[in-house]
Amino acid sequence: MSYGIRRAYLISIKALLVVRSISFAGEAEVQLPDAAKPVRVIYDVSEDRTTPAEPLMLTLSLSMGTSSARPVQESDDGAGAVVSHGADVERRLHEEKPLLLSVSPSLSFISAHTAKDHAINLNREPAPVIAAGNDAESEFTSREALFGDDLDQEQKPSKPIPAWKRLVTGWRGFSQLEIADTYTDPEHLSKAKLRTELSRTGQFNENIKWKISGRFDYDAAYDLSSFYPHAVRQDQRYQFFVRENYLDVSAGDFDFRLGRQHVIWGEMVGLFFADVVSAKDLREFVLPAFDILRIPQWAARAEYSKGDSHAEVVWIPVPTLDEIGKPGADFYPGPLRGVATYLPEDRSGRNIGNSNYGVRLSHLVNGWDISGFYYHSLDSSPTFYRIGGPADPPVFQPRHDEIDQVGGTLAKDFGSVVLKGELIYTDGRKFNVARATAMNGLVRQNTLDYVIGLDFSLPAETRLNLQFFQRVFFAHDPDLALDKLENGASILLNGKLSPKLEAQALLIHSLNRSDWMFRPRLSWNFQPNWRWAVGADVFGGPPIGLFGRFDHADRVYTELRYSF
């Protein structure tokens, strides 16, 4: 047998072995340059010779060429070898004539229809040649090329995503460990809290979107120590918070949000002024970050936007109220701490008959963002009613009254300086007085609160915020512990010491008396998504002051947070 014949025979055997390895039969088409049409040969891969069988779906492309490994004399035919049926095939396979033959076996493009019948169709379109070339040792370059796995991704059927995988992906949130030690006498561990929040957003279509979220807090300090009363330990040991869970619907210039949500109408540094809709978790006073401190409301809200104007209407059928904790906690806000007795909080007014509602309008004029609002509500902050007669030991009960508030906000960006202001007039709120003849130990006082702030962007990524605030008591009662004009100021300095290290200090001080709060903090973003912080919360002043009443609660703390 000549060298060219032996080479063609070896390559044919390779093709047959490939066919056997995939347990499929095929129909081979041999196409010669001068042939009018393909001549079919039927192979049964279970035998060593060609026998009649059912039509198979294997394509073998044979072409004329010149062997580079060894020169071969041209055959007498001059056109090459033609493979045919029966004796002609047998004769040509055993003929001792030199041939110029190059064989390029290939499999490609599995047809979806023939795959069901366990066949491979290679005639769907011209198959790419997987080079055997004229080199007798050439192999198929890859399994992907052999079986058509190099098709575009769009042509391959995609695998369905398991339901469990869809449920666990797309979540965002954080997990945070907070440890605090109150160093004033008596020194004690005041917090060892693990806080985890999860949220997820999605949409049904471009006009209907949704959000779900929740948070779980567990504070081991109330298991590790018996310093606090039993009621405090039960109240602050652990809690699950339903956070924002709402449905958004867009309809042209109107947007609607239904469900539990934040409604934020104002935001200044350190304290709350025009943010009258939000309920707050005050069991740690105003020390946590505002996004943790705010409690969402179950509300229906409609917004209309047109050009530079915006209108908003909100209805809260059953109000959510502030969380103030239990008597004996570090930041319980009741009067005459250490002397008075406190009854359980009365929340009976929290029903649909005392729904909260409000409207807010805003407009952008020459860079000035100006808004005005009206809000009627069951006061989220409690009023402490004195129970019993003037000669009885002081006993108080926190209750919630209906109030009305009218206010506005403004903001203007001047480049490196941002001006902000908020103003709120409150009608219906009551305050404690020392006069024994006052009913329930309270007097009704309408008040006006306002704050003006300047935010400076300084070199070296430094921020300076200055604020002045004031409360005005109308028809001021002389037995109030507070002055007719209560003034205060704050200063916040924040800057980066390095790309990953940030320092800040906040001081809020009364200008009427020595009543203050100082909060230094150092944060280190040591890894992406990881932050470690250390800081202190220090209070000073008389027990009637906003901050001095917590003079016993000075503490140092550390936090480790992972965001995802």
Side-chain angles (χ1 to χ4, degrees):
M1 184 184 293
S2 69
Y3 180 83
I5 294 287
R6 287 195 301 271
R7 182 178 172 203
Y9 180 77
L10 288 172
I11 295 175
S12 298
I13 291 297
K14 286 184 181 182
L16 290 175
L17 290 175
V18 170
V19 173
R20 178 179 294 276
S21 68
I22 61 175
S23 300
F24 285 134
E27 176 182 339
E29 290 187 357
V30 181
Q31 206 155 3
L32 298 177
D34 57 344
K37 59 174 65 177
V39 180
R40 293 185 177 180
V41 179
I42 305 303
Y43 296 100
D44 184 349
V45 297
S46 63
E47 306 218 6
D48 294 332
R49 57 186 179 82
T50 58
T51 58
E54 293 295 326
L56 305 177
M57 305 305 293
L58 171 67
T59 295
L60 300 176
S61 299
L62 295 97
S63 58
M64 303 303 294
T66 304
S67 172
S68 59
R70 180 176 173 181
V72 180
Q73 287 267 346
E74 272 193 23
S75 67
D76 296 335
D77 296 341
V82 178
V83 183
S84 183
H85 291 282
D88 187 55
V89 174
E90 194 73 15
R91 179 183 59 80
R92 289 183 178 275
L93 287 175
H94 294 84
E95 190 174 349
E96 294 291 334
K97 290 184 179 180
L99 296 176
L100 289 173
L101 180 64
S102 175
V103 182
S104 298
S106 63
L107 298 173
S108 62
F109 300 117
I110 298 175
S111 170
H113 298 290
T114 57
K116 295 179 181 179
D117 298 324
H118 304 284
I120 300 177
N121 179 10
L122 298 174
N123 297 318
R124 178 168 146 189
E125 61 179 278
V129 176
I130 310 300
N134 294 322
D135 188 351
E137 302 300 321
S138 294
E139 299 286 351
F140 293 108
T141 57
S142 68
R143 180 188 183 281
E144 289 76 19
L146 177 62
F147 294 108
D149 289 350
D150 59 343
L151 291 174
D152 292 339
Q153 197 69 23
E154 297 178 354
Q155 294 177 288
K156 298 172 64 178
S158 59
K159 295 181 180 179
I161 301 175
W164 66 266
K165 192 170 185 179
R166 292 197 300 268
L167 288 175
V168 300
T169 56
W171 291 91
R172 303 184 64 181
F174 67 89
S175 189
Q176 181 167 299
L177 176 65
E178 306 170 10
I179 300 175
D181 183 80
T182 299
Y183 58 83
T184 51
D185 190 32
E187 185 269 340
H188 59 279
L189 177 69
S190 53
K191 184 165 65 168
K193 181 177 291 186
L194 180 62
R195 170 177 282 142
T196 300
E197 180 167 315
L198 293 173
S199 67
R200 187 175 181 179
T201 59
Q203 62 182 53
F204 297 110
N205 55 50
E206 61 179 5
N207 296 320
I208 303 178
K209 302 178 182 179
W210 53 266
K211 179 178 181 179
I212 56 175
S213 63
R215 193 179 83 220
F216 179 76
D217 294 353
Y218 168 67
D219 198 331
Y222 300 102
D223 284 325
L224 298 174
S225 171
S226 59
F227 176 84
Y228 296 98
H230 176 74
V232 174
R233 297 202 305 271
Q234 288 295 105
D235 179 62
Q236 297 188 204
R237 177 182 286 114
Y238 58 84
Q239 187 168 357
F240 174 74
F241 297 86
V242 178
R243 303 297 287 171
E244 289 195 286
N245 292 268
Y246 57 74
L247 190 69
D248 276 343
V249 180
S250 298
D253 296 330
F254 290 90
D255 295 287
F256 303 91
R257 178 168 290 180
L258 306 173
R260 193 167 174 88
Q261 58 189 279
H262 290 303
V263 182
I264 301 172
W265 286 357
E267 187 166 14
M268 302 299 286
V269 171
L271 296 173
F272 291 89
F273 294 91
D275 193 10
V276 296
V277 182
S278 298
K280 295 165 281 292
D281 187 351
L282 297 175
R283 290 176 294 180
E284 290 186 67
F285 191 40
V286 293
L287 303 181
F290 279 7
D291 63 329
I292 292 175
L293 196 150
R294 288 189 179 98
I295 304 175
Q297 297 272 9
W298 289 106
R301 180 158 49 136
E303 298 183 62
Y304 172 79
S305 300
K306 194 72 173 180
D308 294 330
S309 298
H310 182 82
E312 180 179 347
V313 177
V314 62
W315 176 53
I316 302 171
V318 180
T320 298
L321 307 176
D322 291 351
E323 293 286 346
I324 61 172
K326 302 296 181 181
D330 288 337
F331 298 101
Y332 189 74
L336 302 179
R337 291 169 55 99
V339 177
T341 303
Y342 303 95
L343 298 179
E345 184 179 4
D346 180 6
R347 293 192 165 207
S348 59
R350 184 177 173 267
N351 54 63
I352 198 167
N354 291 320
S355 295
N356 298 357
Y357 54 85
V359 59
R360 181 174 181 262
L361 304 174
S362 62
H363 189 65
L364 187 64
V365 184
N366 297 325
W368 289 87
D369 189 358
I370 303 171
S371 75
F373 63 83
Y374 165 75
Y375 188 59
H376 171 86
S377 68
L378 187 70
D379 195 355
S380 62
S381 300
T383 298
F384 284 84
Y385 280 68
R386 182 164 180 168
I387 309 300
D392 296 331
V395 178
F396 293 94
Q397 183 182 38
R399 301 177 184 174
H400 298 265
D401 300 321
E402 289 189 69
I403 60 174
D404 293 279
Q405 293 175 289
V406 178
T409 66
L410 63 84
K412 170 67 173 175
D413 188 345
F414 294 97
S416 61
V417 181
V418 177
L419 169 68
K420 285 186 176 182
E422 298 179 3
L423 179 146
I424 312 94
Y425 175 81
T426 303
D427 174 73
R429 186 171 283 161
K430 299 173 183 177
F431 295 82
N432 296 99
V433 292
R435 188 169 61 249
T437 58
M439 184 174 293
N440 302 123
L442 299 169
V443 293
R444 178 167 171 160
Q445 296 278 271
N446 296 340
T447 60
L448 177 71
D449 294 271
Y450 69 89
V451 56
I452 297 292
L454 292 172
D455 207 275
F456 299 88
S457 295
L458 304 178
E461 296 186 73
T462 303
R463 174 195 177 196
L464 174 65
N465 179 273
L466 303 175
Q467 292 181 158
F468 171 79
F469 53 89
Q470 184 179 77
R471 167 169 285 180
V472 180
F473 288 91
F474 296 94
H476 178 261
D477 190 298
D479 290 321
L480 279 174
L482 303 173
D483 297 336
K484 181 176 182 178
L485 298 178
E486 283 287 332
N487 306 303
S490 71
I491 177 171
L492 170 72
L493 185 62
N494 174 282
K496 286 195 172 183
L497 306 180
S498 71
K500 295 184 178 181
L501 195 61
E502 183 176 340
Q504 77 171 37
L506 171 66
L507 174 65
I508 305 178
H509 206 293
S510 169
L511 302 180
N512 293 63
R513 61 193 64 85
S514 182
D515 180 39
W516 51 272
M517 175 178 69
F518 179 56
R519 305 188 63 196
R521 178 182 172 93
L522 186 66
S523 300
W524 180 31
N525 298 300
F526 59 94
Q527 287 290 334
N529 304 331
W530 285 93
R531 184 186 70 202
W532 177 58
V534 294
D537 302 314
V538 187
F539 303 88
I544 61 169
L546 178 64
F547 307 112
R549 56 184 171 163
F550 302 132
D551 191 29
H552 64 284
D554 297 346
R555 66 184 190 178
V556 292
Y557 66 87
T558 184
E559 295 175 358
L560 180 64
R561 177 168 177 149
Y562 173 69
S563 302
F564 53 90

PDB file of all heavy atoms in Angstrom, residues 7-28:
ATOM      1  N   ARG A   7      -1.866   6.796   4.600  1.00  0.00           N
ATOM      2  CA  ARG A   7      -2.167   8.006   5.373  1.00  0.00           C
ATOM      3  C   ARG A   7      -3.659   8.290   5.364  1.00  0.00           C
ATOM      4  O   ARG A   7      -4.272   8.596   6.389  1.00  0.00           O
ATOM      5  CB  ARG A   7      -1.402   9.175   4.772  1.00  0.00           C
ATOM      6  CG  ARG A   7      -1.603  10.474   5.537  1.00  0.00           C
ATOM      7  CD  ARG A   7      -0.792  11.554   4.910  1.00  0.00           C
ATOM      8  NE  ARG A   7      -1.169  12.800   5.543  1.00  0.00           N
ATOM      9  CZ  ARG A   7      -1.000  13.970   4.983  1.00  0.00           C
ATOM     10  NH1 ARG A   7      -0.452  14.027   3.787  1.00  0.00           N
ATOM     11  NH2 ARG A   7      -1.347  15.070   5.609  1.00  0.00           N
ATOM     12  N   ALA A   8      -4.279   8.179   4.199  1.00  0.00           N
ATOM     13  CA  ALA A   8      -5.732   8.396   4.123  1.00  0.00           C
ATOM     14  C   ALA A   8      -6.449   7.376   4.963  1.00  0.00           C
ATOM     15  O   ALA A   8      -7.448   7.671   5.635  1.00  0.00           O
ATOM     16  CB  ALA A   8      -6.190   8.312   2.661  1.00  0.00           C
ATOM     17  N   TYR A   9      -5.942   6.139   4.967  1.00  0.00           N
ATOM     18  CA  TYR A   9      -6.583   5.078   5.739  1.00  0.00           C
ATOM     19  C   TYR A   9      -6.498   5.370   7.240  1.00  0.00           C
ATOM     20  O   TYR A   9      -7.469   5.213   7.980  1.00  0.00           O
ATOM     21  CB  TYR A   9      -5.902   3.754   5.401  1.00  0.00           C
ATOM     22  CG  TYR A   9      -6.489   2.567   6.142  1.00  0.00           C
ATOM     23  CD1 TYR A   9      -7.698   2.009   5.723  1.00  0.00           C
ATOM     24  CD2 TYR A   9      -5.833   2.023   7.246  1.00  0.00           C
ATOM     25  CE1 TYR A   9      -8.242   0.924   6.389  1.00  0.00           C
ATOM     26  CE2 TYR A   9      -6.367   0.948   7.920  1.00  0.00           C
ATOM     27  CZ  TYR A   9      -7.580   0.391   7.492  1.00  0.00           C
ATOM     28  OH  TYR A   9      -8.114  -0.667   8.154  1.00  0.00           O
ATOM     29  N   LEU A  10      -5.332   5.827   7.687  1.00  0.00           N
ATOM     30  CA  LEU A  10      -5.166   6.151   9.108  1.00  0.00           C
ATOM     31  C   LEU A  10      -6.109   7.259   9.536  1.00  0.00           C
ATOM     32  O   LEU A  10      -6.714   7.213  10.618  1.00  0.00           O
ATOM     33  CB  LEU A  10      -3.711   6.554   9.388  1.00  0.00           C
ATOM     34  CG  LEU A  10      -2.677   5.419   9.339  1.00  0.00           C
ATOM     35  CD1 LEU A  10      -1.276   5.990   9.444  1.00  0.00           C
ATOM     36  CD2 LEU A  10      -2.945   4.414  10.455  1.00  0.00           C
ATOM     37  N   ILE A  11      -6.246   8.272   8.726  1.00  0.00           N
ATOM     38  CA  ILE A  11      -7.129   9.392   9.085  1.00  0.00           C
ATOM     39  C   ILE A  11      -8.564   8.934   9.115  1.00  0.00           C
ATOM     40  O   ILE A  11      -9.355   9.335   9.963  1.00  0.00           O
ATOM     41  CB  ILE A  11      -6.917  10.555   8.110  1.00  0.00           C
ATOM     42  CG1 ILE A  11      -5.498  11.102   8.261  1.00  0.00           C
ATOM     43  CG2 ILE A  11      -7.928  11.668   8.357  1.00  0.00           C
ATOM     44  CD1 ILE A  11      -5.138  12.173   7.282  1.00  0.00           C
ATOM     45  N   SER A  12      -8.915   8.031   8.181  1.00  0.00           N
ATOM     46  CA  SER A  12     -10.283   7.501   8.188  1.00  0.00           C
ATOM     47  C   SER A  12     -10.545   6.727   9.453  1.00  0.00           C
ATOM     48  O   SER A  12     -11.630   6.804  10.047  1.00  0.00           O
ATOM     49  CB  SER A  12     -10.503   6.608   6.970  1.00  0.00           C
ATOM     50  OG  SER A  12     -10.345   7.352   5.784  1.00  0.00           O
ATOM     51  N   ILE A  13      -9.538   5.931   9.912  1.00  0.00           N
ATOM     52  CA  ILE A  13      -9.700   5.186  11.159  1.00  0.00           C
ATOM     53  C   ILE A  13      -9.914   6.143  12.322  1.00  0.00           C
ATOM     54  O   ILE A  13     -10.733   5.917  13.212  1.00  0.00           O
ATOM     55  CB  ILE A  13      -8.465   4.300  11.412  1.00  0.00           C
ATOM     56  CG1 ILE A  13      -8.438   3.167  10.377  1.00  0.00           C
ATOM     57  CG2 ILE A  13      -8.486   3.712  12.825  1.00  0.00           C
ATOM     58  CD1 ILE A  13      -9.633   2.241  10.484  1.00  0.00           C
ATOM     59  N   LYS A  14      -9.195   7.271  12.349  1.00  0.00           N
ATOM     60  CA  LYS A  14      -9.374   8.272  13.415  1.00  0.00           C
ATOM     61  C   LYS A  14     -10.797   8.781  13.443  1.00  0.00           C
ATOM     62  O   LYS A  14     -11.405   8.939  14.495  1.00  0.00           O
ATOM     63  CB  LYS A  14      -8.408   9.441  13.223  1.00  0.00           C
ATOM     64  CG  LYS A  14      -6.979   9.119  13.564  1.00  0.00           C
ATOM     65  CD  LYS A  14      -6.124  10.370  13.440  1.00  0.00           C
ATOM     66  CE  LYS A  14      -4.675  10.073  13.765  1.00  0.00           C
ATOM     67  NZ  LYS A  14      -3.853  11.293  13.681  1.00  0.00           N
ATOM     68  N   ALA A  15     -11.343   9.057  12.262  1.00  0.00           N
ATOM     69  CA  ALA A  15     -12.725   9.550  12.202  1.00  0.00           C
ATOM     70  C   ALA A  15     -13.680   8.512  12.745  1.00  0.00           C
ATOM     71  O   ALA A  15     -14.629   8.835  13.463  1.00  0.00           O
ATOM     72  CB  ALA A  15     -13.080   9.915  10.767  1.00  0.00           C
ATOM     73  N   LEU A  16     -13.438   7.221  12.395  1.00  0.00           N
ATOM     74  CA  LEU A  16     -14.320   6.161  12.883  1.00  0.00           C
ATOM     75  C   LEU A  16     -14.233   6.028  14.396  1.00  0.00           C
ATOM     76  O   LEU A  16     -15.230   5.786  15.078  1.00  0.00           O
ATOM     77  CB  LEU A  16     -13.954   4.830  12.212  1.00  0.00           C
ATOM     78  CG  LEU A  16     -14.293   4.734  10.708  1.00  0.00           C
ATOM     79  CD1 LEU A  16     -13.774   3.426  10.137  1.00  0.00           C
ATOM     80  CD2 LEU A  16     -15.795   4.861  10.503  1.00  0.00           C
ATOM     81  N   LEU A  17     -13.026   6.193  14.952  1.00  0.00           N
ATOM     82  CA  LEU A  17     -12.880   6.121  16.412  1.00  0.00           C
ATOM     83  C   LEU A  17     -13.619   7.246  17.101  1.00  0.00           C
ATOM     84  O   LEU A  17     -14.206   7.077  18.170  1.00  0.00           O
ATOM     85  CB  LEU A  17     -11.389   6.153  16.783  1.00  0.00           C
ATOM     86  CG  LEU A  17     -10.607   4.886  16.414  1.00  0.00           C
ATOM     87  CD1 LEU A  17      -9.128   5.077  16.726  1.00  0.00           C
ATOM     88  CD2 LEU A  17     -11.153   3.674  17.162  1.00  0.00           C
ATOM     89  N   VAL A  18     -13.589   8.438  16.521  1.00  0.00           N
ATOM     90  CA  VAL A  18     -14.337   9.567  17.094  1.00  0.00           C
ATOM     91  C   VAL A  18     -15.808   9.267  17.101  1.00  0.00           C
ATOM     92  O   VAL A  18     -16.525   9.504  18.070  1.00  0.00           O
ATOM     93  CB  VAL A  18     -14.036  10.863  16.325  1.00  0.00           C
ATOM     94  CG1 VAL A  18     -14.996  11.956  16.756  1.00  0.00           C
ATOM     95  CG2 VAL A  18     -12.605  11.292  16.561  1.00  0.00           C
ATOM     96  N   VAL A  19     -16.298   8.712  15.984  1.00  0.00           N
ATOM     97  CA  VAL A  19     -17.715   8.358  15.901  1.00  0.00           C
ATOM     98  C   VAL A  19     -18.073   7.330  16.962  1.00  0.00           C
ATOM     99  O   VAL A  19     -19.084   7.415  17.644  1.00  0.00           O
ATOM    100  CB  VAL A  19     -18.061   7.832  14.500  1.00  0.00           C
ATOM    101  CG1 VAL A  19     -19.493   7.306  14.461  1.00  0.00           C
ATOM    102  CG2 VAL A  19     -17.883   8.948  13.475  1.00  0.00           C
ATOM    103  N   ARG A  20     -17.195   6.307  17.175  1.00  0.00           N
ATOM    104  CA  ARG A  20     -17.475   5.293  18.197  1.00  0.00           C
ATOM    105  C   ARG A  20     -17.491   5.914  19.578  1.00  0.00           C
ATOM    106  O   ARG A  20     -18.315   5.551  20.435  1.00  0.00           O
ATOM    107  CB  ARG A  20     -16.416   4.194  18.125  1.00  0.00           C
ATOM    108  CG  ARG A  20     -16.598   3.095  19.190  1.00  0.00           C
ATOM    109  CD  ARG A  20     -15.535   2.021  19.054  1.00  0.00           C
ATOM    110  NE  ARG A  20     -15.679   1.282  17.815  1.00  0.00           N
ATOM    111  CZ  ARG A  20     -16.500   0.251  17.673  1.00  0.00           C
ATOM    112  NH1 ARG A  20     -17.268  -0.130  18.684  1.00  0.00           N
ATOM    113  NH2 ARG A  20     -16.577  -0.387  16.527  1.00  0.00           N
ATOM    114  N   SER A  21     -16.621   6.893  19.868  1.00  0.00           N
ATOM    115  CA  SER A  21     -16.520   7.466  21.213  1.00  0.00           C
ATOM    116  C   SER A  21     -17.755   8.219  21.607  1.00  0.00           C
ATOM    117  O   SER A  21     -18.069   8.333  22.779  1.00  0.00           O
ATOM    118  CB  SER A  21     -15.307   8.386  21.324  1.00  0.00           C
ATOM    119  OG  SER A  21     -15.518   9.530  20.530  1.00  0.00           O
ATOM    120  N   ILE A  22     -18.508   8.747  20.652  1.00  0.00           N
ATOM    121  CA  ILE A  22     -19.731   9.473  20.993  1.00  0.00           C
ATOM    122  C   ILE A  22     -20.958   8.634  20.778  1.00  0.00           C
ATOM    123  O   ILE A  22     -22.084   9.094  20.960  1.00  0.00           O
ATOM    124  CB  ILE A  22     -19.834  10.778  20.166  1.00  0.00           C
ATOM    125  CG1 ILE A  22     -19.896  10.472  18.690  1.00  0.00           C
ATOM    126  CG2 ILE A  22     -18.697  11.706  20.478  1.00  0.00           C
ATOM    127  CD1 ILE A  22     -20.118  11.709  17.836  1.00  0.00           C
ATOM    128  N   SER A  23     -20.775   7.351  20.406  1.00  0.00           N
ATOM    129  CA  SER A  23     -21.884   6.387  20.252  1.00  0.00           C
ATOM    130  C   SER A  23     -22.945   6.866  19.289  1.00  0.00           C
ATOM    131  O   SER A  23     -24.139   6.699  19.514  1.00  0.00           O
ATOM    132  CB  SER A  23     -22.529   6.094  21.620  1.00  0.00           C
ATOM    133  OG  SER A  23     -21.572   5.549  22.490  1.00  0.00           O
ATOM    134  N   PHE A  24     -22.536   7.570  18.242  1.00  0.00           N
ATOM    135  CA  PHE A  24     -23.463   8.024  17.214  1.00  0.00           C
ATOM    136  C   PHE A  24     -22.995   7.462  15.873  1.00  0.00           C
ATOM    137  O   PHE A  24     -21.786   7.271  15.650  1.00  0.00           O
ATOM    138  CB  PHE A  24     -23.488   9.555  17.104  1.00  0.00           C
ATOM    139  CG  PHE A  24     -24.235  10.208  18.219  1.00  0.00           C
ATOM    140  CD1 PHE A  24     -23.685  11.310  18.871  1.00  0.00           C
ATOM    141  CD2 PHE A  24     -25.478   9.748  18.615  1.00  0.00           C
ATOM    142  CE1 PHE A  24     -24.375  11.906  19.884  1.00  0.00           C
ATOM    143  CE2 PHE A  24     -26.165  10.367  19.625  1.00  0.00           C
ATOM    144  CZ  PHE A  24     -25.624  11.427  20.269  1.00  0.00           C
ATOM    145  N   ALA A  25     -23.967   7.220  14.979  1.00  0.00           N
ATOM    146  CA  ALA A  25     -23.634   6.876  13.603  1.00  0.00           C
ATOM    147  C   ALA A  25     -23.825   8.094  12.748  1.00  0.00           C
ATOM    148  O   ALA A  25     -24.542   8.998  13.101  1.00  0.00           O
ATOM    149  CB  ALA A  25     -24.517   5.723  13.104  1.00  0.00           C
ATOM    150  N   GLY A  26     -23.242   8.095  11.549  1.00  0.00           N
ATOM    151  CA  GLY A  26     -23.368   9.284  10.722  1.00  0.00           C
ATOM    152  C   GLY A  26     -23.406   8.969   9.254  1.00  0.00           C
ATOM    153  O   GLY A  26     -23.032   7.890   8.804  1.00  0.00           O
ATOM    154  N   GLU A  27     -23.854   9.917   8.501  1.00  0.00           N
ATOM    155  CA  GLU A  27     -23.891   9.824   7.048  1.00  0.00           C
ATOM    156  C   GLU A  27     -22.732  10.642   6.522  1.00  0.00           C
ATOM    157  O   GLU A  27     -22.637  11.841   6.793  1.00  0.00           O
ATOM    158  CB  GLU A  27     -25.199  10.382   6.518  1.00  0.00           C
ATOM    159  CG  GLU A  27     -25.246  10.401   5.003  1.00  0.00           C
ATOM    160  CD  GLU A  27     -26.536  11.003   4.513  1.00  0.00           C
ATOM    161  OE1 GLU A  27     -27.510  11.039   5.264  1.00  0.00           O
ATOM    162  OE2 GLU A  27     -26.550  11.460   3.355  1.00  0.00           O
ATOM    163  N   ALA A  28     -21.828  10.029   5.802  1.00  0.00           N
ATOM    164  CA  ALA A  28     -20.633  10.699   5.323  1.00  0.00           C
ATOM    165  C   ALA A  28     -20.833  11.180   3.913  1.00  0.00           C
ATOM    166  O   ALA A  28     -21.288  10.430   3.062  1.00  0.00           O
ATOM    167  CB  ALA A  28     -19.430   9.758   5.385  1.00  0.00           C
TER     168      ALA A  28
END
